[in-house]
Coordinates of all heavy atoms in Angstrom, one line a residue:
M15 N -26.6 43.9 27.2 CA -25.3 43.4 26.7 C -25.1 42.0 27.0 O -25.5 41.5 28.1 CB -24.2 44.3 27.3 CG -22.7 43.7 26.9 SD -21.5 44.7 27.8 CE -20.6 45.3 26.4
N16 N -24.6 41.2 26.1 CA -24.5 39.8 26.3 C -23.1 39.5 27.0 O -22.1 40.2 26.7 CB -24.5 39.0 25.0 CG -25.8 39.0 24.3 OD1 -26.8 39.2 25.0 ND2 -25.9 39.0 23.0
D17 N -23.1 38.6 27.9 CA -21.8 38.3 28.5 C -21.0 37.4 27.7 O -21.5 36.5 26.9 CB -22.1 37.5 29.8 CG -22.6 38.4 30.9 OD1 -22.5 39.7 30.8 OD2 -23.2 38.0 31.9
F18 N -19.7 37.5 27.7 CA -18.7 36.7 27.0 C -17.6 36.5 27.9 O -16.9 37.5 28.3 CB -18.3 37.5 25.7 CG -17.5 36.7 24.7 CD1 -18.0 35.7 24.0 CD2 -16.1 37.0 24.6 CE1 -17.2 35.0 23.0 CE2 -15.3 36.2 23.8 CZ -15.9 35.3 23.0
T19 N -17.2 35.2 28.1 CA -16.2 35.0 29.1 C -14.9 34.6 28.2 O -15.0 33.7 27.4 CB -16.6 33.8 30.0 OG1 -17.8 34.2 30.7 CG2 -15.5 33.5 31.0
V20 N -13.8 35.2 28.6 CA -12.5 34.8 28.0 C -11.5 34.4 29.1 O -11.4 35.1 30.1 CB -12.0 36.1 27.3 CG1 -10.6 35.8 26.7 CG2 -12.9 36.5 26.2
F21 N -10.9 33.3 28.9 CA -9.9 32.8 29.8 C -8.6 33.6 29.6 O -8.1 33.7 28.4 CB -9.6 31.3 29.7 CG -8.4 30.9 30.4 CD1 -8.4 30.7 31.8 CD2 -7.2 30.7 29.8 CE1 -7.3 30.4 32.6 CE2 -6.0 30.4 30.5 CZ -6.1 30.1 31.9
L22 N -8.1 34.2 30.6 CA -6.8 34.9 30.5 C -5.8 34.1 31.4 O -6.0 33.9 32.6 CB -6.9 36.3 31.0 CG -7.9 37.2 30.2 CD1 -7.9 38.6 30.9 CD2 -7.4 37.4 28.8
P23 N -4.6 33.9 30.8 CA -3.6 33.3 31.7 C -3.3 34.2 32.9 O -3.5 35.4 32.7 CB -2.4 33.1 30.8 CG -2.9 33.2 29.4 CD -4.2 34.1 29.5
P24 N -2.9 33.7 34.0 CA -2.6 34.4 35.2 C -1.7 35.7 35.0 O -2.0 36.7 35.5 CB -2.0 33.5 36.2 CG -2.5 32.1 35.7 CD -2.6 32.2 34.3
D25 N -0.6 35.5 34.1 CA 0.2 36.6 33.9 C -0.4 37.8 33.1 O -0.3 38.9 33.5 CB 1.6 36.2 33.3 CG 1.3 35.5 31.9 OD1 0.3 34.8 31.7 OD2 2.1 35.8 31.0
V26 N -1.3 37.4 32.2 CA -2.0 38.4 31.4 C -3.0 39.1 32.3 O -3.2 40.3 32.2 CB -2.6 37.8 30.1 CG1 -3.5 38.7 29.4 CG2 -1.5 37.2 29.2
R27 N -3.7 38.3 33.1 CA -4.7 38.8 34.0 C -4.1 39.8 35.0 O -4.6 40.9 35.2 CB -5.4 37.7 34.7 CG -6.5 38.1 35.7 CD -7.6 38.7 35.1 NE -8.6 39.3 36.0 CZ -9.8 39.4 35.8 NH1 -10.4 39.1 34.7 NH2 -10.6 40.0 36.7
R28 N -2.9 39.5 35.5 CA -2.2 40.4 36.4 C -1.9 41.7 35.7 O -2.1 42.8 36.2 CB -1.0 39.7 37.0 CG -1.1 39.3 38.4 CD 0.2 38.8 38.9 NE 1.0 38.0 38.1 CZ 0.9 36.6 37.9 NH1 -0.1 36.1 38.4 NH2 1.7 36.0 37.1
E29 N -1.3 41.6 34.5 CA -1.0 42.8 33.7 C -2.2 43.7 33.5 O -2.1 44.9 33.6 CB -0.3 42.5 32.4 CG 1.1 42.2 32.5 CD 1.8 42.1 31.2 OE1 1.9 43.2 30.5 OE2 2.1 41.0 30.8
L30 N -3.3 43.0 33.1 CA -4.6 43.8 32.8 C -5.0 44.5 34.1 O -5.4 45.6 34.0 CB -5.6 42.8 32.3 CG -7.0 43.4 32.0 CD1 -6.9 44.5 31.0 CD2 -7.9 42.3 31.5
E31 N -5.0 43.8 35.2 CA -5.5 44.4 36.5 C -4.5 45.5 36.9 O -5.0 46.5 37.4 CB -5.6 43.3 37.6 CG -6.7 42.4 37.3 CD -6.7 41.2 38.2 OE1 -5.7 40.9 39.0 OE2 -7.8 40.5 38.2
D32 N -3.2 45.3 36.7 CA -2.3 46.4 37.0 C -2.5 47.6 36.2 O -2.4 48.7 36.6 CB -0.8 45.9 36.9 CG -0.4 44.9 37.9 OD1 -1.1 44.7 38.9 OD2 0.7 44.3 37.7
L33 N -2.7 47.4 34.9 CA -3.0 48.5 34.0 C -4.3 49.2 34.3 O -4.3 50.4 34.4 CB -3.0 48.1 32.5 CG -3.3 49.1 31.5 CD1 -2.2 50.2 31.4 CD2 -3.4 48.5 30.1
A34 N -5.3 48.5 34.6 CA -6.6 49.1 35.1 C -6.4 49.9 36.3 O -6.9 51.0 36.4 CB -7.6 47.9 35.3
D35 N -5.7 49.4 37.3 CA -5.4 50.1 38.5 C -4.6 51.3 38.3 O -5.0 52.4 38.8 CB -4.7 49.2 39.5 CG -4.5 49.8 40.9 OD1 -5.6 50.3 41.4 OD2 -3.5 49.8 41.4
A36 N -3.6 51.3 37.5 CA -2.8 52.4 37.2 C -3.5 53.5 36.4 O -3.2 54.7 36.6 CB -1.5 52.0 36.4
T37 N -4.4 53.1 35.6 CA -5.2 54.1 34.8 C -6.5 54.5 35.4 O -7.2 55.3 34.8 CB -5.3 53.6 33.4 OG1 -6.0 52.4 33.3 CG2 -4.0 53.4 32.7
G38 N -6.9 53.8 36.5 CA -8.2 54.2 37.0 C -9.4 53.7 36.2 O -10.5 54.3 36.2
R39 N -9.2 52.6 35.4 CA -10.2 52.1 34.6 C -10.6 50.7 35.0 O -9.8 50.0 35.8 CB -9.8 52.1 33.1 CG -9.5 53.5 32.7 CD -8.8 53.5 31.3 NE -9.6 53.0 30.3 CZ -9.1 52.6 29.1 NH1 -7.9 52.6 28.9 NH2 -10.0 52.1 28.2
A40 N -11.7 50.1 34.6 CA -12.1 48.8 34.8 C -11.3 47.8 33.8 O -11.1 48.2 32.6 CB -13.6 48.6 34.6
P41 N -10.9 46.7 34.3 CA -10.2 45.7 33.4 C -11.1 45.4 32.2 O -10.6 45.3 31.0 CB -10.0 44.5 34.2 CG -10.0 45.0 35.6 CD -10.9 46.2 35.7
E42 N -12.4 45.3 32.4 CA -13.3 45.0 31.3 C -13.3 46.1 30.2 O -13.4 45.8 29.1 CB -14.8 44.8 31.8 CG -14.9 43.7 32.8 CD -14.5 44.0 34.2 OE1 -14.1 45.1 34.5 OE2 -14.6 43.0 35.0
D43 N -13.2 47.3 30.6 CA -13.2 48.5 29.7 C -11.9 48.4 28.8 O -11.9 48.7 27.6 CB -13.2 49.8 30.4 CG -14.6 50.0 31.0 OD1 -15.6 49.3 30.6 OD2 -14.7 50.8 31.9
I44 N -10.8 48.1 29.5 CA -9.5 48.0 28.7 C -9.6 46.8 27.7 O -9.2 46.9 26.6 CB -8.4 47.8 29.7 CG1 -8.2 49.1 30.5 CG2 -7.0 47.5 29.0 CD1 -7.2 49.0 31.6
A45 N -10.1 45.7 28.2 CA -10.2 44.5 27.3 C -11.2 44.8 26.1 O -10.9 44.4 25.0 CB -10.8 43.3 28.1
L46 N -12.3 45.5 26.4 CA -13.2 45.8 25.3 C -12.5 46.7 24.3 O -12.6 46.6 23.1 CB -14.4 46.5 25.9 CG -15.5 46.9 24.8 CD1 -16.0 45.8 24.0 CD2 -16.7 47.6 25.6
E47 N -11.8 47.7 24.8 CA -11.1 48.6 23.9 C -10.1 47.9 23.0 O -9.9 48.1 21.8 CB -10.3 49.7 24.7 CG -9.6 50.7 23.9 CD -8.9 51.7 24.8 OE1 -9.5 52.2 25.8 OE2 -7.7 51.9 24.5
A48 N -9.4 46.9 23.6 CA -8.4 46.1 22.9 C -9.0 45.3 21.8 O -8.5 45.2 20.7 CB -7.6 45.2 23.9
V49 N -10.2 44.7 22.1 CA -10.9 43.9 21.2 C -11.4 44.7 20.0 O -11.2 44.4 18.8 CB -12.1 43.1 21.8 CG1 -13.0 42.5 20.7 CG2 -11.6 42.0 22.8
R50 N -11.9 45.9 20.3 CA -12.4 46.8 19.3 C -11.3 47.3 18.3 O -11.4 47.3 17.2 CB -13.1 48.0 19.9 CG -14.5 47.7 20.4 CD -15.2 48.9 21.0 NE -16.6 48.6 21.2 CZ -17.3 49.2 22.1 NH1 -16.7 50.2 22.9 NH2 -18.5 48.9 22.4
H51 N -10.1 47.6 19.0 CA -9.0 47.9 18.2 C -8.5 46.8 17.2 O -8.2 47.1 16.1 CB -7.8 48.4 19.2 CG -6.5 48.7 18.5 ND1 -6.4 49.9 17.8 CD2 -5.3 48.0 18.3 CE1 -5.2 49.9 17.3 NE2 -4.5 48.8 17.5
R52 N -8.5 45.6 17.8 CA -8.1 44.5 16.9 C -9.1 44.2 15.8 O -8.7 44.0 14.7 CB -8.0 43.2 17.9 CG -7.6 42.0 17.1 CD -6.2 42.0 16.6 NE -5.8 40.8 15.9 CZ -5.1 39.8 16.4 NH1 -4.7 39.8 17.6 NH2 -4.9 38.8 15.6
L53 N -10.4 44.3 16.1 CA -11.4 44.2 15.0 C -11.2 45.2 13.9 O -11.3 44.9 12.8 CB -12.8 44.2 15.6 CG -13.2 43.0 16.5 CD1 -14.5 43.2 17.2 CD2 -13.2 41.7 15.7
A54 N -11.0 46.4 14.3 CA -10.9 47.5 13.3 C -9.6 47.3 12.5 O -9.7 47.4 11.3 CB -10.8 48.9 14.1
R55 N -8.6 46.9 13.1 CA -7.3 46.6 12.4 C -7.4 45.4 11.5 O -7.0 45.5 10.4 CB -6.2 46.4 13.4 CG -4.8 46.4 12.7 CD -3.7 46.3 13.7 NE -3.7 44.9 14.2 CZ -3.6 44.6 15.5 NH1 -3.5 45.6 16.4 NH2 -3.5 43.3 15.9
E56 N -8.1 44.4 11.9 CA -8.1 43.1 11.1 C -9.2 43.2 10.0 O -9.0 42.6 9.0 CB -8.4 41.9 12.0 CG -7.3 41.7 13.0 CD -6.2 40.9 12.4 OE1 -6.3 40.2 11.4 OE2 -5.1 41.0 13.0
S57 N -10.3 43.9 10.3 CA -11.4 43.8 9.4 C -11.2 44.8 8.3 O -11.8 44.6 7.2 CB -12.8 44.1 10.1 OG -12.8 45.5 10.6
S58 N -10.4 45.8 8.4 CA -10.3 46.8 7.3 C -9.6 46.1 6.1 O -10.2 46.3 5.0 CB -9.4 48.0 7.8 OG -9.2 48.9 6.8
P59 N -8.5 45.4 6.2 CA -7.9 44.8 4.9 C -8.9 43.8 4.4 O -9.0 43.6 3.1 CB -6.7 44.1 5.5 CG -6.4 44.7 6.8 CD -7.7 45.2 7.3
V60 N -9.6 43.1 5.2 CA -10.6 42.1 4.7 C -11.7 42.7 3.9 O -12.0 42.3 2.8 CB -11.2 41.2 5.9 CG1 -12.3 40.3 5.4 CG2 -10.1 40.4 6.5
R61 N -12.2 43.8 4.4 CA -13.2 44.6 3.8 C -12.7 45.1 2.4 O -13.4 45.0 1.4 CB -13.7 45.7 4.6 CG -14.9 46.5 4.0 CD -15.5 47.5 5.0 NE -14.6 48.1 6.0 CZ -14.5 47.7 7.2 NH1 -15.3 46.7 7.7 NH2 -13.7 48.3 8.1
V62 N -11.5 45.6 2.4 CA -10.9 46.2 1.1 C -10.8 45.0 0.1 O -11.1 45.2 -1.1 CB -9.5 46.8 1.4 CG1 -8.8 47.1 0.1 CG2 -9.7 48.1 2.2
M63 N -10.3 43.8 0.5 CA -10.2 42.7 -0.4 C -11.5 42.2 -0.9 O -11.7 41.9 -2.1 CB -9.5 41.6 0.4 CG -9.3 40.3 -0.5 SD -8.3 40.6 -2.0 CE -6.7 40.6 -1.3
A64 N -12.5 42.2 0.0 CA -13.9 41.7 -0.5 C -14.5 42.8 -1.5 O -15.0 42.3 -2.5 CB -14.8 41.7 0.7
E65 N -14.2 44.1 -1.3 CA -14.8 45.1 -2.2 C -14.0 45.0 -3.5 O -14.6 45.0 -4.6 CB -14.6 46.4 -1.6 CG -15.6 46.7 -0.5 CD -15.3 48.0 0.3 OE1 -14.3 48.7 0.0 OE2 -16.1 48.3 1.2
S66 N -12.7 44.7 -3.5 CA -11.9 44.5 -4.7 C -12.4 43.3 -5.5 O -12.6 43.4 -6.7 CB -10.5 44.4 -4.4 OG -9.7 44.2 -5.5
L67 N -12.7 42.2 -4.8 CA -13.2 41.0 -5.5 C -14.5 41.3 -6.1 O -14.9 40.8 -7.2 CB -13.2 39.8 -4.6 CG -11.8 39.2 -4.2 CD1 -12.0 38.2 -3.1 CD2 -11.2 38.6 -5.4
A68 N -15.4 42.0 -5.3 CA -16.7 42.2 -5.8 C -16.7 43.1 -7.1 O -17.4 42.9 -8.0 CB -17.6 42.9 -4.7
D69 N -15.8 44.1 -7.0 CA -15.7 45.0 -8.2 C -15.1 44.3 -9.4 O -15.6 44.4 -10.5 CB -14.7 46.2 -7.9 CG -15.3 47.2 -6.9 OD1 -16.6 47.1 -6.7 OD2 -14.6 48.0 -6.4
A70 N -14.1 43.4 -9.2 CA -13.5 42.6 -10.3 C -14.5 41.6 -10.9 O -14.4 41.3 -12.1 CB -12.3 41.9 -9.8
H71 N -15.4 41.1 -10.2 CA -16.4 40.1 -10.7 C -17.8 40.7 -10.6 O -18.8 39.8 -10.6 CB -16.3 38.9 -9.8 CG -14.9 38.3 -9.8 ND1 -14.3 37.6 -10.9 CD2 -13.9 38.3 -8.9 CE1 -13.1 37.3 -10.7 NE2 -12.8 37.7 -9.5
A72 N -18.0 41.9 -10.7 CA -19.3 42.6 -10.7 C -20.3 42.0 -11.7 O -21.4 41.7 -11.4 CB -19.2 44.0 -10.8
D73 N -19.8 41.8 -13.0 CA -20.6 41.3 -14.0 C -21.1 39.9 -13.7 O -22.3 39.6 -13.9 CB -19.9 41.4 -15.3 CG -20.8 41.0 -16.5 OD1 -21.9 41.6 -16.6 OD2 -20.4 40.2 -17.3
L74 N -20.2 39.1 -13.3 CA -20.5 37.7 -13.0 C -21.5 37.7 -11.8 O -22.5 37.0 -11.8 CB -19.3 36.9 -12.6 CG -19.6 35.5 -12.1 CD1 -20.2 34.6 -13.2 CD2 -18.2 34.9 -11.7
L75 N -21.3 38.4 -10.8 CA -22.2 38.4 -9.6 C -23.5 38.9 -10.0 O -24.6 38.4 -9.5 CB -21.6 39.3 -8.5 CG -20.3 38.8 -7.8 CD1 -19.7 39.9 -6.9 CD2 -20.6 37.6 -7.1
R76 N -23.6 39.9 -10.9 CA -24.9 40.4 -11.4 C -25.6 39.3 -12.1 O -26.8 39.1 -12.0 CB -24.6 41.7 -12.3 CG -25.9 42.4 -12.6 CD -25.6 43.8 -13.3 NE -24.4 43.9 -14.1 CZ -23.2 44.4 -13.6 NH1 -23.2 44.9 -12.4 NH2 -22.2 44.5 -14.4
R77 N -24.9 38.6 -13.0 CA -25.6 37.5 -13.8 C -26.1 36.4 -12.9 O -27.1 35.8 -13.1 CB -24.7 37.0 -14.8 CG -24.4 37.9 -16.0 CD -23.6 37.4 -17.1 NE -22.2 37.5 -16.7 CZ -21.2 36.6 -17.0 NH1 -21.5 35.6 -17.8 NH2 -20.0 36.9 -16.6
L78 N -25.3 36.0 -11.9 CA -25.7 35.0 -10.9 C -26.9 35.4 -10.1 O -27.7 34.5 -9.7 CB -24.6 34.6 -10.0 CG -23.4 33.9 -10.6 CD1 -22.3 33.8 -9.6 CD2 -23.8 32.5 -11.1
G79 N -27.1 36.7 -9.9 CA -28.2 37.2 -9.2 C -29.5 37.2 -9.9 O -30.6 37.4 -9.4
E80 N -29.4 37.0 -11.2 CA -30.7 37.1 -12.1 C -31.4 35.9 -12.0 O -31.1 34.8 -11.7 CB -30.2 37.5 -13.5 CG -29.7 38.8 -13.7 CD -29.2 39.1 -15.1 OE1 -29.2 38.2 -15.9 OE2 -28.8 40.2 -15.3

């Protein structure tokens, strides 16, 4: 796994550590879960829009690929 460092303001860091302590989990696990959740939520509409555009312009894209 590659390391990735994110600066958290002290108040956010404290909340993350408190949540981790209260749930018996590592702060890193909670942060990873939050990032995955955000990516899933944000990428879904983008993917739908890209597929819609590709469908709408399929003929043009096919001709450009020739």
Side-chain angles (χ1 to χ4, degrees):
M15 175 183 239
N16 294 332
D17 287 341
F18 185 76
T19 302
V20 177
F21 170 78
L22 298 176
D25 60 322
V26 174
R27 179 67 188 206
R28 254 187 319 280
E29 276 192 71
L30 178 60
E31 290 172 349
D32 288 348
L33 178 60
D35 186 50
T37 59
R39 300 169 63 199
E42 296 82 2
D43 293 339
I44 295 171
L46 178 58
E47 180 181 315
V49 169
R50 285 183 171 150
H51 177 74
R52 177 70 183 257
L53 289 173
R55 190 177 73 227
E56 297 280 336
S57 64
S58 181
V60 171
R61 185 174 27 261
V62 168
M63 179 61 76
E65 290 170 356
S66 176
L67 287 169
D69 289 344
H71 301 286
D73 187 50
L74 174 62
L75 292 170
R76 193 172 23 263
R77 285 184 283 150
L78 287 173
E80 293 177 355

